[in-house]
């Protein structure tokens, strides 16, 4: 009988109930039960438990958000990959020719210098987990000028073919390199063309590199030796052969062919050196082909052509290579490293340059992108992703009156332009009351960089679509109404009305605020969080990279997402529209100049039945005329990859 039952019957309860220890055990069990059931996010009376549950929910919400973006990007820009097949038969290495012991063959690599052939040949293998899928050979090449300690090997492009054919949804393929000292190290597959591929290892590995500047003598018709190394045993092998014909078939172009004297067939020879009668390297074996006469032959690339290929790859002259707007040389491709398919697809979806594979492998970072935050970040009410990204400043929003902090989130939007599924630009915009409409339509004041042509920055790309975002869940298409490229101004109308907005009336004459302190506002392009950076208006525009007499400067430090965003005083009045030039200060177009430009037009083109945006023509206020357009454009679109 319980104590409660005893009391109800009018009886006296002489028991003390549960012991202190039992009550502690029950509390602990209740806490454990709450944590176990955290997937349901049930509220608890324990504030610490609620905090943990809230963090778990925020983390899962953000991961789900990221996974959704990655899945969409892979679906639109990736290639469908098959499931991993465990039934695949592992690659079986075949020996060929004779085993070459260290010091048995000396290979001249320059006029007065010769090295052991064993130090010039490595084995390169492709694995899926612990299963070997393919193995061939490679030759060390000069490391060139690089800030990283790297060792590069050139090998047959057949390795890339096997990499692409065996790629699966697990995306865990890896490359390993067996060195002459029988030590194995990780390799990174990178650039390739139809014949050769480059594998890079981190560190200087103590291998001898071939001299590509030493011109090889014309190779003989016979007395050729082809060398290769096995991965599992680490053994160096060589077999004899002879030149078959200099130009075998049209589809093989500049390749030559040789045939083995013993008709041994082994893929370990691919990527290995081909030696002449004097043991000097005359080429590199590339592939095996069957001409249909029952005699399999090997193709090889002569040394002079190999040197030209590597120079074209910019392997030997990396001082010409930079990662700003990185593009591949003609007819050269780049492997998407295993595990980075989502990353590359996300970059493609945002129209960012695809970096060299090593930049991805070594945790390279993309700088000057639209997703960078600045100032103090302000999440919207009900923000579900936990703590927002940290900006560069604190205590900016509390400098503004409460009514302004309430109004700004309802009038500052995030915009993005798209070419199909590819986002070409992202920036911030300000909802304003249009002066010429009797109905006081709400439009968006923003930067014309949103819709500029990428090939011709002095024009508007009418094929772009515009999307507008206002957190937490308002989203609409936008229509370009007016633009002025001289001052980089654009007016965008909404295709549907937003709720609970408070557009700014920039055409109303406000009292002049003599306070120099200002705040630059923006929204980031990913989560559309509000950002604010404080500063002061500078006298004049000395040091501004945007060539325009009418542009002023503030000391607010913003990022690219702040382009087109408003600059306001501490009382909330509109001061101007921000631009970005990467100089550490913020150029802005003053309010009076914006009003002067927009006052030249009244009715919106969409109100008059026009389907095309209309330019607002004004007399330029620059010494160098239209040249300033290029500055507005270039600073808005440049990106940079660096090693972290």
């Amino acid at each position: 009988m319980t104590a409660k039952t005893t009391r109800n019957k009018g009886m006296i309860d002489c028991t003390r109930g549960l012991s202190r220890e039992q009550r502690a055990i029950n509390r602990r069990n209740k806490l454990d039960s709450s944590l176990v059931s955290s997937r349901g996010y049930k509220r608890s009376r324990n504030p610490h438990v609620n905090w943990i549950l809230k963090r778990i929910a925020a983390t899962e919400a953000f991961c789900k958000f990221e996974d959704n973006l990655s899945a969409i990007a892979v679906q639109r820009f990736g290639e469908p990959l098959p499931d991993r097949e465990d039934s695949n038969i592992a690659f079986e290495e075949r020996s060929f020719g004779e085993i070459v012991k260290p010091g048995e063959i000396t290979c001249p690599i320059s006029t007065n210098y010769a090295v052991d052939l064993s130090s010039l040949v490595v084995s390169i293998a492709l694995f899926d987990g612990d299963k070997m899928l393919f193995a061939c050979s490679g030759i060390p090449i000069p490391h060139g000028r690089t800030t990283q300690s790297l060792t590069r090997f050139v090998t047959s492009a057949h390795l890339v073919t096997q990499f692409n054919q065996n790629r699966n949804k697990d995306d865990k393929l890896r490359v390993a390199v067996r060195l002459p000292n029988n030590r194995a190290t990780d390799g990174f597959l990178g650039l390739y063309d139809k014949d050769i591929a480059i594998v890079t290892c981190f560190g200087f590995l103590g291998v001898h590199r071939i001299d590509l500047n030493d011109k090889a003598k014309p190779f003989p018709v016979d007395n050729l030796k082809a060398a290769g190394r096995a991965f599992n045993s680490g053994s160096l092998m060589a077999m004899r052969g002879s030149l078959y014909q200099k130009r075998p078939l049209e589809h093989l172009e500049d390749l030559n062919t040789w045939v083995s004297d013993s008709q041994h067939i082994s893929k370990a020879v691919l990527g290995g050196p081909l030696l002449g009668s004097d043991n000097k390297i005359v080429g590199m074996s590339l592939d095996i082909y069957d001409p249909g006469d029952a005699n399999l032959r090997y193709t090889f690339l002569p040394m002079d052509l190999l040197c030209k290929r590597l120079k074209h790859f910019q392997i030997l002259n990396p001082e010409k290579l930079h990662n700003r707007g990185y593009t591949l040389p003609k007819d050269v491709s780049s492997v998407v490293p295993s595990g980075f398919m989502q990353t590359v697809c996300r970059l493609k979806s945002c129209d960012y340059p695809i970096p060299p594979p090593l930049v991805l492998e070594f945790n390279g970072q993309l700088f000057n992108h639209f997703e960078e935050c600045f100032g103090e970040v302000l999440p919207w009410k009900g923000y579900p992703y936990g703590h927002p990204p940290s900006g560069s400043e604190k205590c900016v929003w509390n400098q503004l009156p409460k009514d302004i902090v309430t109004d700004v989130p309802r009038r500052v939007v995030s915009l993005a332009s798209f070419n199909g599924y590819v986002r070409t630009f992202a920036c911030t915009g300000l909802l304003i009351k249009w002066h010429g409409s009797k109905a006081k339509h709400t439009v968006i004041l923003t930067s014309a960089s949103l819709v500029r042509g990428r090939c011709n920055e002095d024009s508007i790309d009418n094929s772009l679509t515009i999307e507008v975002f206002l957190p937490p869940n308002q989203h609409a298409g936008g229509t370009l109404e007016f633009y002025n490229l001289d001052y980089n101004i654009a007016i965008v109308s909404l295709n549907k009305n937003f709720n609970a907005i408070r557009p700014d009336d920039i055409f109303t004459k406000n009292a002049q605020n003599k306070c120099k302190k200002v705040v630059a506002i923006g929204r980031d392009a990913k989560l559309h969080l509000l950002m604010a950076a404080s500063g002061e208006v500078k006298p004049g525009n000395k040091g501004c990279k945007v060539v325009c007499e009418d542009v002023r400067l503030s000391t607010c430090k913003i990022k690219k997402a702040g382009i087109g965003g408003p600059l306001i005083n501490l009382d909330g009045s509109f001061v101007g529209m921000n631009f970005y030039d990467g100089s550490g200060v913020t150029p802005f177009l003053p309010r009076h100049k914006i009003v002067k430009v927009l006052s030249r037009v009244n009715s919106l083109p969409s109100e008059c039945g026009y389907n095309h945006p209309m330019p607002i023509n004004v007399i330029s206020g620059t010494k160098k005329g239209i040249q300033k357009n290029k500055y507005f454009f270039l600073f808005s679109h440049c990106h940079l990859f660096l090693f972290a």
Side-chain angles (χ1 to χ4, degrees):
M1 183 179 293
T2 64
K4 182 177 180 181
T5 305
T6 303
R7 288 195 301 269
N8 292 338
K9 289 181 177 292
M11 301 172 60
I12 299 175
D13 180 20
C14 298
T15 66
R16 301 181 60 186
L18 298 176
S19 67
R20 187 181 206 177
E21 292 78 7
Q22 187 61 46
R23 289 196 300 269
I25 293 173
N26 290 346
R27 286 196 301 269
R28 186 165 59 251
N29 291 339
K30 186 177 181 180
L31 175 62
D32 294 340
S33 177
S34 298
L35 292 176
V36 170
S37 62
S38 61
R39 293 289 178 182
Y41 311 118
K42 298 179 180 179
R43 291 185 60 83
S44 169
R45 294 181 181 179
N46 190 324
H48 180 66
V49 174
N50 287 331
W51 181 83
I52 294 176
L53 297 181
K54 188 179 292 185
R55 290 294 302 270
I56 293 174
T59 301
E60 291 191 352
F62 184 76
C63 292
K64 185 177 180 180
F65 172 78
E66 286 286 343
D67 291 344
N68 184 50
L69 291 181
S70 297
I72 293 174
V74 171
Q75 182 181 7
R76 292 174 175 174
F77 300 97
E79 298 179 359
L81 296 176
D83 294 328
R84 189 177 189 269
E85 296 184 9
D86 295 329
S87 60
N88 283 346
I89 300 176
F91 179 78
E92 181 181 356
E93 287 188 300
R94 294 183 181 180
S95 60
F96 64 89
E98 300 176 350
I99 301 296
V100 178
K101 297 180 180 180
E104 186 174 339
I105 298 179
T106 302
C107 180
I109 61 172
S110 64
T111 305
N112 299 315
Y113 187 57
V115 297
D116 184 3
L117 175 64
S118 179
S119 65
L120 288 172
V121 185
V122 299
S123 178
I124 304 175
L126 176 67
F127 288 88
D128 187 357
D130 295 329
K131 182 190 297 184
M132 181 187 292
L133 303 178
F134 180 73
C136 59
S137 298
I139 305 173
I141 59 176
H143 57 76
R145 299 177 184 177
T146 175
T147 58
Q148 305 291 324
S149 300
L150 305 175
T151 300
R152 293 188 176 100
F153 303 93
V154 60
T155 186
S156 166
H158 199 70
L159 178 66
V160 179
T161 302
Q162 293 298 317
F163 182 90
N164 292 330
Q165 288 180 354
N166 287 279
R167 196 159 198 165
N168 53 67
K169 290 182 179 179
D170 287 352
D171 207 17
K172 295 180 180 179
L173 299 183
R174 62 183 179 90
V175 174
V177 178
R178 178 75 68 183
L179 301 173
N181 61 6
N182 208 29
R183 181 171 69 90
T185 186
D186 292 332
F188 304 100
L189 191 57
L191 304 181
Y192 68 96
D193 65 8
K194 58 186 179 62
D195 297 319
I196 66 173
I198 305 298
V199 173
T200 305
C201 296
F202 193 74
F204 298 130
L205 303 179
V207 293
H208 288 286
R209 300 171 179 85
I210 58 174
D211 184 5
L212 295 172
N213 294 321
D214 185 36
K215 296 182 179 179
K217 297 179 181 179
F219 38 82
V221 174
D222 50 12
N223 294 327
L224 296 176
K225 286 192 289 288
R229 188 179 295 277
F231 187 88
N232 287 327
S233 65
S235 300
L236 179 66
M237 301 168 287
M239 62 179 172
R240 297 186 178 277
S242 57
L243 188 69
Y244 186 77
Q245 63 185 64
K246 192 170 183 180
R247 294 289 183 265
L249 296 171
E250 291 184 1
H251 70 276
L252 295 177
E253 298 177 359
D254 293 329
L255 305 183
N256 299 311
T257 58
W258 66 274
V259 60
S260 170
D261 291 348
S262 59
Q263 283 297 302
H264 285 169
I265 300 297
S266 175
K267 293 182 179 179
V269 76
L270 304 182
L274 189 65
L275 310 179
S277 57
D278 57 355
N279 290 335
K280 200 166 188 178
I281 299 177
V282 296
M284 183 183 73
S285 298
L286 296 179
D287 208 348
I288 304 171
Y289 83 99
D290 183 0
D293 58 2
N295 292 318
L296 297 180
R297 298 159 196 163
Y298 295 89
T299 61
F300 74 96
L301 192 65
M303 284 299 294
D304 58 338
L305 296 180
L306 177 61
C307 182
K308 290 181 180 179
R309 294 283 184 93
L310 294 175
K311 287 182 177 179
H312 180 64
F313 274 46
Q314 301 182 13
I315 294 293
L316 305 181
N317 51 343
E319 68 276 2
K320 296 182 180 179
L321 179 66
H322 56 80
N323 296 330
R324 186 183 296 274
Y326 175 77
T327 56
L328 291 170
K330 184 181 179 181
D331 298 327
V332 177
S333 301
S334 175
V335 168
V336 177
S338 189
F340 288 93
M341 182 65 73
Q342 289 186 354
T343 301
V344 170
C345 291
R346 291 283 292 272
L347 291 173
K348 289 180 179 179
S349 68
C350 295
D351 201 26
Y352 292 142
I354 306 302
L358 282 183
V359 175
L360 294 173
E361 298 275 15
F362 295 156
N363 196 30
Q365 299 297 314
L366 176 66
F367 289 88
N368 200 24
H369 55 84
F370 293 112
E371 289 74 23
E372 288 184 285
C373 292
F374 65 85
E376 184 184 12
V377 180
L378 179 68
W380 65 82
K381 185 178 181 180
Y383 179 72
Y385 306 125
H387 294 294
S390 58
S392 56
E393 296 183 51
K394 295 182 179 179
C395 303
V396 179
W397 289 103
N398 61 10
Q399 299 180 36
L400 301 172
K402 289 185 178 180
D403 59 332
I404 300 302
V405 178
T406 302
D407 290 344
V408 167
R410 300 184 182 184
R411 63 176 52 148
V412 177
V413 298
S414 175
L415 300 99
S417 55
F418 292 84
N419 183 2
Y421 290 126
V422 178
R423 189 195 69 187
T424 61
F425 199 84
C427 60
T428 301
L430 177 67
L431 292 169
I432 64 172
K433 297 178 181 178
W434 183 245
H435 68 95
S437 174
K438 295 181 180 179
K440 289 292 183 182
H441 282 181
T442 298
V443 295
I444 303 169
L445 170 67
T446 188
S447 168
S449 296
L450 178 71
V451 288
R452 282 183 184 268
R454 296 299 299 270
C455 298
N456 182 11
E457 63 269 21
D458 295 332
S459 66
I460 293 296
D461 188 349
N462 291 310
S463 65
L464 298 177
T465 58
I466 301 173
E467 294 188 11
V468 186
F469 307 89
L470 182 63
N473 53 15
Q474 298 196 77
H475 168 244
T479 300
L480 178 63
E481 300 281 359
F482 292 110
Y483 63 90
N484 178 271
L485 298 182
D486 290 347
Y487 291 106
N488 208 31
I489 297 174
I491 294 296
V492 176
S493 63
L494 290 167
N495 295 344
K496 71 176 183 179
N497 294 328
F498 279 172
N499 298 322
I501 59 175
R502 294 184 180 176
D504 199 352
D505 191 355
I506 67 171
F507 297 95
T508 301
K509 293 184 178 180
N510 296 328
Q512 293 294 328
N513 191 331
K514 296 182 179 180
C515 180
K516 292 183 179 180
K517 292 186 178 180
V518 290
V519 176
I521 309 293
R523 282 198 185 274
D524 87 291
K526 184 177 182 180
L527 297 171
H528 313 303
L529 295 164
L530 267 180
M531 302 172 289
S534 60
E536 296 182 354
V537 175
K538 297 181 64 176
N541 59 4
K542 186 177 181 180
C544 179
K545 296 181 179 180
V546 179
V547 186
C548 179
E549 290 181 347
D550 298 308
V551 167
R552 302 286 301 279
L553 292 177
S554 76
T555 57
C556 303
K557 295 183 178 180
I558 70 170
K559 297 295 183 179
K560 289 178 63 176
I563 295 173
L567 186 71
I568 62 175
N569 282 326
L570 295 185
D571 62 359
S573 59
F574 179 70
V575 176
M577 182 173 65
N578 296 315
F579 300 111
Y580 179 77
D581 64 2
S583 64
V585 294
T586 299
F588 70 93
L589 190 63
R591 170 189 169 276
H592 72 274
K593 183 56 65 175
I594 297 173
V595 171
K596 183 178 180 180
V597 173
L598 297 182
S599 295
R600 299 177 64 89
V601 292
N602 292 312
S603 299
L604 299 174
S606 59
E607 293 179 325
C608 302
Y610 294 106
N611 295 325
H612 301 287
M614 295 179 61
I616 305 175
N617 298 318
V618 295
I619 299 175
S620 176
T622 65
K623 293 180 179 179
K624 298 185 179 181
I626 204 71
Q627 185 181 10
K628 69 182 169 190
N629 297 349
K630 298 180 181 180
Y631 287 89
F632 277 127
F633 175 80
L634 292 177
F635 291 120
S636 301
H637 285 80
C638 59
H639 308 284
L640 177 65
F641 272 102
L642 293 176
F643 287 109

